[in-house]
């Protein structure tokens, strides 16, 4: 491979999976690489080494989020709108908005939910266990995070698939299956905002124990959230709360299927499940990149970076960096230590990490105990994206639970 072969803007290269061969090459040949941009864009720096990703992520004063966190620039008139999302905020504004909702995601709060989320996971597996086959993404992986985030936000369970549809159209904007026009992503956001505002009106006078009520009565600098602030919060929590967990559960199950020795190792010793979940996160890296913008002339690994340059950190590469993860291209359910960056790092560390870890663990407890021989039953269809490492469809088959119980009985 040569540097001329590197094209991380070619989304078709991601349809078969993350192009780890490209990242492995860059970590050695050009760990801070100046990547050209199609359509006459200014280009961006690709950061692929673990320590450099940490450096960029932990220095918001030098590498800011407020100019956007996607590779490509938005139109100037849209910049103020995206800056209302916490993802695109820097301290101190980011810290103030984060404090509004962080209480609801603390470990002691999340741990109280374990019995209820376990029952949700059990019911989801109940629905497929006797069938012998299903689409793993829509019938299993998508259902638990959808149900959980719907409950967190106060969305009726009957409406949870609206969140699923909006998320696909917002996150899958580069996949023709989800976006039918250039404006469809904007339309999905508007539909979600309209729905959120209706919920907000209901909670204003009749608050409940959900995050919408917290947001409606919360304050930043002594002022209640504006409608735009509220809409942005709702969109971020709804999309991030189901999209990444769904793709981790799907990608984690695929990793086990593609590594049968590790699958059997985990089935034989379920005490490995916590480390297996962390390894799934490292291996899958559901969010593939975030962009920052240099606020001043600086350098990363000796490479000079000018003020205004775009700097893009790639988590799948950092999570297989040879200097940090010995034998990083091997899936190891017992890997320790495992200081992966799948949840991000610094002030943008995933707000819902504790909730996601609980959901993933409980779902795999059910899957491993009740569908131990699960295998692929057809081709896997991946999202056409260099931002989200997503699976759209994954047909699987397994011995129906009733038949297995009959044999064992």
């Amino acid at each position: 491979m040569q540097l001329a072969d590197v094209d991380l803007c070619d989304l078709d290269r991601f349809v078969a999976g993350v192009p780890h061969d490209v990242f492995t090459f860059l970590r050695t040949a050009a760990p801070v690489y100046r990547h050209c941009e199609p359509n006459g864009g200014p280009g961006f720096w690709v950061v692929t080494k673990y320590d450099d990703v940490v450096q960029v992520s932990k220095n918001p004063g030098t590498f800011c989020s407020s100019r956007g966190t996607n590779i490509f620039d938005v139109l100037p008139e849209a910049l103020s709108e995206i800056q209302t999302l916490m993802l695109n905020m820097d301290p101190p504004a980011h810290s103030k908005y984060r404090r509004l909702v962080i209480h609801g995601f603390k470990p002691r709060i999340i741990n109280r939910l374990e019995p209820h989320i376990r029952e949700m996971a059990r019911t989801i597996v109940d629905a497929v266990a006797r069938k012998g086959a299903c689409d793993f993404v829509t019938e299993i992986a998508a259902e638990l995070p959808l149900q959980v985030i719907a409950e967190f936000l106060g969305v009726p369970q009957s409406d949870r698939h609206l969140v699923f549809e909006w998320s696909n159209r917002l996150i899958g904007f580069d996949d023709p299956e989800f976006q039918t026009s250039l404006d469809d992503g904007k339309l999905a956001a508007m539909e979600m905002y309209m729905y959120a505002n209706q919920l907000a009106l209901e909670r204003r006078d009749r608050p409940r124990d959900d995050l919408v009520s917290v947001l409606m009565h919360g304050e930043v600098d002594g002022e209640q959230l504006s409608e735009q602030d509220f809409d942005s919060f709702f969109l971020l929590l709804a999309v991030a709360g189901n999209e990444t967990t769904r793709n981790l559960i799907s990608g984690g199950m695929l990793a086990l299927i593609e590594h049968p020795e590790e699958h059997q190792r985990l089935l034989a010793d379920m005490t490995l499940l916590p480390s297996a979940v962390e390894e799934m996160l490292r291996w899958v890296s559901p969010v593939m990149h975030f962009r920052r913008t240099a606020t001043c002339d600086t350098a990363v690994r000796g490479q000079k970076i000018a003020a205004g340059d775009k700097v893009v950190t790639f988590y799948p590469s950092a999570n297989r960096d040879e200097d940090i993860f010995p034998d990083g291209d091997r899936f190891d359910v017992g890997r320790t230590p495992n200081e992966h960056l799948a949840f991000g790092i610094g002030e943008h560390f995933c707000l819902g990490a504790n909730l996601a870890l609980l959901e993933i663990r409980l779902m795999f407890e059910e899957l491993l105990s009740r569908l131990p021989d699960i295998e692929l039953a057809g081709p896997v269809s991946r999202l056409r994206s260099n931002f989200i490492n997503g699976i759209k469809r994954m047909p699987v088959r397994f011995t129906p639970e009733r038949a297995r119980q009959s044999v064992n009985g």
Side-chain angles (χ1 to χ4, degrees):
M1 182 177 291
Q2 297 179 339
L3 287 173
D5 300 320
V6 174
D7 187 355
L8 296 174
C9 293
D10 180 0
L11 304 184
D12 291 331
R13 291 195 176 191
F14 290 79
V15 174
V18 178
H20 285 292
D21 59 331
V22 175
F23 290 127
T24 300
F25 170 72
L26 285 177
R27 286 195 301 273
T28 300
V32 184
Y33 171 62
R34 185 68 176 178
H35 197 297
C36 64
E37 198 171 326
N39 303 319
F44 55 95
W45 295 100
V46 175
V47 177
T48 53
K49 294 285 287 181
Y50 184 102
D51 288 343
D52 301 335
V53 172
V54 171
Q55 175 192 340
V56 171
S57 302
K58 289 186 129 182
N59 289 280
T62 303
F63 302 99
C64 75
S65 302
S66 58
R67 296 284 298 276
T69 49
N70 289 325
I71 290 177
F72 301 119
D73 293 317
V74 298
L75 295 173
E77 57 267 26
L79 186 60
S80 61
E81 182 177 343
I82 71 162
Q83 287 172 339
T84 63
L85 286 170
M86 275 202 306
L87 283 178
N88 302 309
M89 290 181 182
D90 298 303
H94 176 272
S95 306
K96 293 175 183 177
Y97 280 87
R98 190 178 175 97
R99 280 198 297 269
L100 266 181
V101 292
I102 196 169
H103 175 74
F105 290 98
K106 288 184 177 178
R108 61 185 179 82
I109 303 295
I110 298 302
N111 290 339
R112 290 183 202 162
L113 301 173
E114 179 165 341
H116 184 44
I117 295 177
R118 184 184 298 279
E119 186 56 35
M120 286 181 176
R122 184 170 294 132
T123 301
I124 290 165
V125 177
D126 282 343
V128 302
R130 292 175 179 268
K131 293 167 57 175
C134 70
D135 176 65
F136 189 88
V137 177
T138 56
E139 296 181 69
I140 296 178
E143 273 299 307
L144 185 60
L146 270 177
Q147 291 183 26
V148 171
I149 201 61
E151 192 156 306
F152 253 67
L153 290 170
V155 173
Q157 290 295 334
S158 58
D159 288 346
R160 69 184 185 276
H161 292 293
L162 291 174
V163 177
F164 180 77
E165 178 194 349
W166 290 324
S167 297
N168 283 337
R169 288 162 61 197
L170 284 162
I171 295 296
F173 49 80
D174 287 315
D175 193 303
E177 180 176 341
F178 297 127
Q179 184 172 356
T180 56
S181 74
L182 291 174
D183 293 326
D184 196 53
K186 290 182 180 179
L187 181 59
M190 290 304 300
E191 291 171 6
M192 186 176 282
Y193 291 159
M194 291 170 64
Y195 185 91
N197 289 330
Q198 184 59 45
L199 277 181
L201 288 174
E202 295 173 7
R203 297 299 189 274
R204 193 184 303 277
D205 298 322
R206 296 185 298 278
R208 299 182 189 175
D209 187 18
D210 57 41
L211 280 180
V212 170
S213 299
V214 170
L215 294 175
M216 284 307 301
H217 295 86
E219 294 183 348
V220 175
D221 290 338
E223 295 184 3
Q224 287 193 315
L225 295 181
S226 67
E227 182 178 296
Q228 186 179 37
D229 286 337
F230 171 79
D231 288 345
S232 297
F233 251 118
F234 185 91
L235 183 148
L236 178 62
L237 293 167
V239 175
N242 87 84
E243 185 77 25
T244 52
T245 307
R246 174 217 312 179
N247 288 316
L248 189 283
I249 293 172
S250 298
M253 189 73 254
L254 181 61
L256 290 175
I257 291 172
E258 291 181 336
H259 298 83
E261 300 86 356
E262 293 301 297
H263 192 179
Q264 290 302 315
R265 180 185 175 196
L266 184 54
L267 287 169
D269 183 3
M270 286 291 286
T271 65
L272 290 172
L273 186 55
S275 64
V277 169
E278 298 292 349
E279 179 70 341
M280 291 174 193
L281 283 158
R282 183 191 74 87
W283 188 260
V284 175
S285 298
V287 176
M288 287 192 274
H289 75 254
F290 268 117
R291 164 234 174 146
R292 301 289 185 260
T293 304
T295 61
C296 59
D297 291 348
T298 185
V300 175
R301 197 171 286 267
Q303 174 63 60
K304 293 181 179 179
I305 294 173
D309 281 359
K310 294 188 285 188
V311 180
V312 183
T313 56
F314 280 88
Y315 302 117
S317 180
N319 283 339
R320 297 201 186 188
D321 187 343
E322 302 79 3
D323 292 341
I324 306 297
F325 301 99
D327 206 5
D329 287 328
R330 182 170 64 89
F331 181 71
D332 176 5
V333 297
R335 183 181 295 272
T336 184
N338 193 349
E339 300 295 327
H340 61 78
L341 303 179
F343 284 126
I345 192 167
E347 78 276 358
H348 285 286
F349 183 81
C350 177
L351 188 67
N354 292 317
L355 179 61
L357 286 169
L358 179 62
E359 292 180 50
I360 297 161
R361 175 174 63 82
L362 294 178
M363 178 53 79
F364 275 97
E365 284 182 7
E366 290 297 315
L367 290 169
L368 292 165
S369 63
R370 299 177 62 186
L371 310 179
D373 61 350
I374 192 168
E375 62 182 9
L376 291 180
V380 174
S381 176
R382 290 183 176 274
L383 191 66
R384 183 179 180 270
S385 173
N386 63 3
F387 178 54
I388 293 292
N389 184 11
I391 297 177
K392 297 188 292 186
R393 283 175 294 278
M394 190 167 86
V396 295
R397 60 180 169 239
F398 41 85
T399 302
E401 195 169 55
R402 178 171 48 194
R404 192 171 62 254
Q405 289 172 344
S406 174
V407 170
N408 293 340

